[in-house]
Each structure stands twice: as C-alpha cells, then as structure tokens.
Amino acid sequence: MQLPDEYIKRMKDLLGAEFPAYLNAFEKPRLYGLRVNTLKISTEEFERISPFPIKKIPYIDNGYFYDGEVYQPAKHPYYFAGLYYLQDPSAMTPASRLPVEPGNRVLDLCAAPGGKSTELAAKLSGDGLIVANDISVKRAKALQKNIELFGVTNSLITTEYPEKLSGYFPHYFDRILIDAPCSGEGMFRKDPDMIKSWDADSPARYAAMQKDIVKHALPMLAPGGYLLYSTCTFSPLEDENTVMEILKMDADISLVDIDPYEGFVRGRPDVIKNGIKELEKCVRIFPHRMDGEGHFLALFHKADNGSDAHESGKEFIDKKRKNNNKNKLSKEERSLWGEYQNNLNINLDTNKIESHDGVLFYGDELPDIKGLKFLRSGLFLGECKKKRFEPGQALAMALKKEDYKNTLDLPVTDDRVIRYLKGETVYVDESEEVSDGIVLICVDGYPLGWGKKQRSAIKNKYHSGWRLM
C-alpha cells in the first residue's frame, strides 16, 4: 500500500511519536462488524441464535465483530429478515453517540446507504420521525432498501440539498446527524482504492463543502437540540477547523463531551490556528489505538433560552400538513384497504394513510412534503390495483409474525427458505395449515416477504430487487 508523500508528512505532524504505530496498523487485517437491529431482536436473543461466531464491540452496545474472511453474513436468511446491518465498527460510533430518544424528530442529512439512519430509527422505537436525506437518488435507493429491510415505520426519505430542506424545517429537529462527505483518510486501510482519489487539496475542498452543509443544517435544529458532526478522516482542516467554523455560526451552540472509551483520542486544539481548549471534547478514532478504522466526532448542544422557535417550527410544519388534503384516500382505495386489513391482527388508522396515485403510505404526524423530492413518506403499505390491494415488501418487513393471520414460518434449516429468497415457487402440505391467498413467509419467526398460495403452491412475491443471487 503506497501512501502519498504529502499525506505521510501531514500524519507525522499530527501523530508525532505515534506515527510508526499508525503505519504498522496497515499491516493488520481490516475488521468486520455487524450491528443488531433492536427494532426486531434483542442483543441477547441474537447472541443466542447467531449462525456464526461473534464478539462484542466494547464501545457499541449492539455491535459485534465477526470474521469476514470466513463467513458471509450478507447471504444468510437472517440478513434478509433485517436482523442486523453490516458496518465498519468505527462507523457505528456517530449514531451511537447522538442521544436519540423515542419521540424525537431526527434528521440524518447525508444518510446513504443507511448505516446510521437505521440505528437512529431503532433508537426511536417507532415513536417520532426520522428524516433520512441524500442528494444522490441512486444512493438514496440503497438507503430506502436498508430502511425498509429494518422494518422502520416512521421515516421520510428525501433527496434534496440541505439549503432546500432548511426552508421546509425551521427549528424542527430535536437531533441532527451530519456524517459529512470527507477526504476519507480514516478508511485507507479498509479501502485502499480511496488512496487513489486523495490529493493534497482534498481536505480543503471537502472542508468548504462541510461548512456549506452545516450552514444550512443549523437553522433546522430546535432549541435544546443536539447536532453530531462526524467524518471518517484525520485532517484537522475537516475536523477541528470545521468545528471552529460551526461554533462561529451560532452563538447558542456549544460542544458537549462525548462518552469516552479506551482508545478514543481527544480533539487537538494545537493542530489548528487559534484552536480553543473546548476542542478537546471532540473525539478521534485511530486504527492503531483501538479495534476500528478512522473517525472523528463532535457533539453540539443548542441552548434553550426560553425561545419559542421550536414550537413555531412545529406549528409551521403542522399548518402546512393540515392544509394539504390532496393525498387522502379515495372511496375505492379506502374500500380496498379495508378488505385487506381484515388479514391483519393489528389496526392501522385509515386516517393516517395517504395515497400517492394509488400507492399507499402510513405515517403518524408526517410533515407536508409538497415540493420536495422524496422516495418514501412513511411506511410503504402497497398498491391499489384493479379490485385488489397488493401489499408491499416494506409492510412485510415492518410486521411481526403474530401481526398477520396467514403465515408460513420456516426453520432456517429448511431449504425452502433459500428457494424463496431466490424468487422460486415454494410448496406446502396440508399439515402446515396455510390458507389460500396472501401468505407472510417467515424464517424462525421473522418475516421475509409475501407469497400467494393456491392449492399446494405458493407463488413467490418476494421483492425482485432484493433476491439472493
């Protein structure tokens, strides 16, 4: 691995006597991690059923190491059931250090492919709202898949520039995560191809971009709210210097200590011009200091000085939503959904269902999105077609086995599980007591998707773009 000379010089300046240890870390194998989806399963239960050896990541409550050179978790049925997300261990830290609670309104501004959004949504436990945004529609489609795979019911997935979102959501969000585009120096060991795109001017280019993103994000943060800024780079220009720029943008913003862990390195006021001691509240992760790649985190709190800005922001959004009735269900759509809901053991309030040209979404207190580019607004329920409602993949992933009346629950060892995930027809016998019609296919009690049974055959309705290859 050939590191650029200028990069080596800068890292020597940053690390001093620790530089040889950092360089030696490149000789060690990269680490592989997975994060348990606590919306669907507890860490204790996952430890019990894990199909491959795992080891706890000490600094992530629901994170585990696994041997990526031996095992392929992305091909296991539990992955398709949304029980875990594959993610670099150090990349799990930003979402883990943002103090999200059920009921919060949360914005993940640079969200694709969804590693952080899915964890923020899990912290909400279905209560509140997660707005996951990425300006790239292509990347946002991967984000959408992961959010739906995780069974998230309270999301809005947008593809807008921060400047436009800022005009829609003044003082609206209780929590904001900005995992900013960066020069990627912390991922050089994991992905050597990133070295090729690095040059001496990369940090300056990204620092300008980061400043612009934050400038539009801050007006969306409510008084009393928290904003977490993170990068996967070591560059002081993109890290401590950008933090200083953020502090200058809003007098009500201050840095907050991040929960420490052995190996976390405090921010460095000395590596930038006019650095202040408060920068020590930031955190860096180095691969020679702990088990992970490279990351930088800074947590900000916005003071609540008795301002009514937060309530004004909520009122602004609520007023827009109440004045927009064009997405209400038609009489026919209401009838088709009502017929289908007889298959459920849970009741979804029809008044919280919106129709976008026959495509139905469910959401509690979703904001008005007129004028915004979006992929999903709430939980995608399915589509109204000629004389029937066809449930969507996202609805299957959001249900529990006991939420649906007609299920086929297969043990993970049953070869029909793999055949189903590959898009093939599966067959049942009378002893399995599955009725004709739409069937929820599960593995070990966890939903995978839909099928349609007629006699002994179940026609495969699994999402074609999700199939096991």
Side-chain angles (χ1 to χ4, degrees), residues 239-298:
D239 294 343
E240 283 90 349
N241 196 71
T242 297
V243 169
M244 290 291 292
E245 293 291 337
I246 295 172
L247 291 170
K248 293 175 186 175
M249 290 178 189
D250 190 333
D252 290 332
I253 289 286
S254 61
L255 280 165
V256 179
D257 269 312
I258 291 177
D259 291 341
Y261 174 74
E262 182 182 355
F264 283 18
V265 179
R266 290 298 180 185
R268 296 273 301 277
D270 60 301
V271 295
I272 62 169
K273 186 177 180 180
N274 299 323
I276 59 175
K277 186 173 176 56
E278 288 288 287
L279 292 174
E280 292 178 358
K281 293 180 178 180
C282 306
V283 160
R284 260 199 195 81
I285 298 174
F286 287 107
H288 68 285
R289 284 283 198 123
M290 61 187 302
D291 292 331
E293 303 303 323
H295 244 80
F296 175 88
L297 298 87

Side-chain angles (χ1 to χ4, degrees), residues 181-183 185 203 206-207 210 229 231 233 235-240 242:
C182 67
S183 56
E185 297 169 357
Y206 280 104
Q210 293 152 3
Y229 170 82
T231 72
T233 195
S235 163
L237 189 60
E238 301 174 71
D239 294 343
E240 283 90 349
T242 297

Side-chain angles (χ1 to χ4, degrees), residues 185-456:
E185 297 169 357
M187 295 292 127
F188 283 178
R189 182 178 69 168
K190 176 186 172 184
D191 185 4
D193 284 343
M194 295 190 73
I195 299 172
K196 299 174 186 176
S197 62
W198 188 95
D199 61 50
D201 296 326
S202 292
R205 288 198 303 271
Y206 280 104
M209 190 185 305
Q210 293 152 3
K211 182 178 177 181
D212 186 66
I213 290 171
V214 175
K215 178 178 70 175
H216 297 298
L218 281 174
M220 293 188 275
L221 185 63
Y226 289 88
L227 181 149
L228 192 136
Y229 170 82
S230 66
T231 72
C232 59
T233 195
F234 303 126
S235 163
L237 189 60
E238 301 174 71
D239 294 343
E240 283 90 349
N241 196 71
T242 297
V243 169
M244 290 291 292
E245 293 291 337
I246 295 172
L247 291 170
K248 293 175 186 175
M249 290 178 189
D250 190 333
D252 290 332
I253 289 286
S254 61
L255 280 165
V256 179
D257 269 312
I258 291 177
D259 291 341
Y261 174 74
E262 182 182 355
F264 283 18
V265 179
R266 290 298 180 185
R268 296 273 301 277
D270 60 301
V271 295
I272 62 169
K273 186 177 180 180
N274 299 323
I276 59 175
K277 186 173 176 56
E278 288 288 287
L279 292 174
E280 292 178 358
K281 293 180 178 180
C282 306
V283 160
R284 260 199 195 81
I285 298 174
F286 287 107
H288 68 285
R289 284 283 198 123
M290 61 187 302
D291 292 331
E293 303 303 323
H295 244 80
F296 175 88
L297 298 87
L299 181 62
F300 300 87
H301 179 248
K302 184 169 184 176
D304 186 351
N305 298 318
S307 168
D308 63 355
H310 192 193
E311 290 306 313
S312 297
K314 287 181 178 179
E315 289 172 6
F316 173 74
I317 300 297
D318 291 344
K319 184 178 179 181
K320 288 182 69 180
R321 184 180 68 247
K322 289 174 182 175
N323 289 339
N324 180 20
N325 294 315
K326 75 169 189 174
N327 295 324
K328 297 299 181 184
L329 298 186
S330 68
K331 183 177 180 181
E332 181 181 4
E333 290 168 343
R334 189 175 287 266
S335 174
L336 291 175
W337 170 254
E339 274 182 43
Y340 177 78
Q341 182 151 275
N342 291 328
N343 298 298
L344 299 175
N345 291 320
I346 55 172
N347 183 52
L348 299 181
D349 186 348
T350 309
N351 293 321
K352 295 178 181 178
I353 299 176
E354 292 186 349
S355 172
H356 295 267
D357 298 323
V359 180
L360 304 192
F361 296 89
Y362 178 84
D364 188 11
E365 300 299 308
L366 284 165
D368 175 35
I369 55 173
K370 183 180 180 181
L372 284 180
K373 292 181 288 187
F374 74 98
L375 297 182
R376 286 288 185 263
S377 175
L379 173 63
F380 170 50
L381 297 176
E383 297 182 56
C384 293
K385 297 190 174 181
K386 290 182 179 179
K387 298 184 179 180
R388 77 181 195 279
F389 173 80
E390 188 160 307
Q393 180 69 34
L395 175 59
M397 303 310 295
L399 294 175
K400 294 180 173 63
K401 174 190 168 184
E402 57 269 25
D403 293 338
Y404 197 74
K405 294 177 180 177
N406 192 27
T407 64
L408 174 63
D409 187 15
L410 301 171
V412 72
T413 53
D414 192 316
D415 62 6
R416 288 177 294 177
V417 174
I418 298 300
R419 293 210 301 272
Y420 174 75
L421 292 174
K422 288 184 175 181
E424 299 173 13
T425 298
V426 297
Y427 295 88
V428 295
D429 58 43
E430 292 182 1
S431 67
E432 291 178 294
E433 299 182 350
V434 182
S435 303
D436 282 357
I438 299 297
V439 181
L440 181 64
I441 311 293
C442 303
V443 57
D444 289 343
Y446 298 100
L448 291 172
W450 302 109
K452 186 174 183 180
K453 180 177 177 291
Q454 186 174 13
R455 299 187 179 90
S456 64

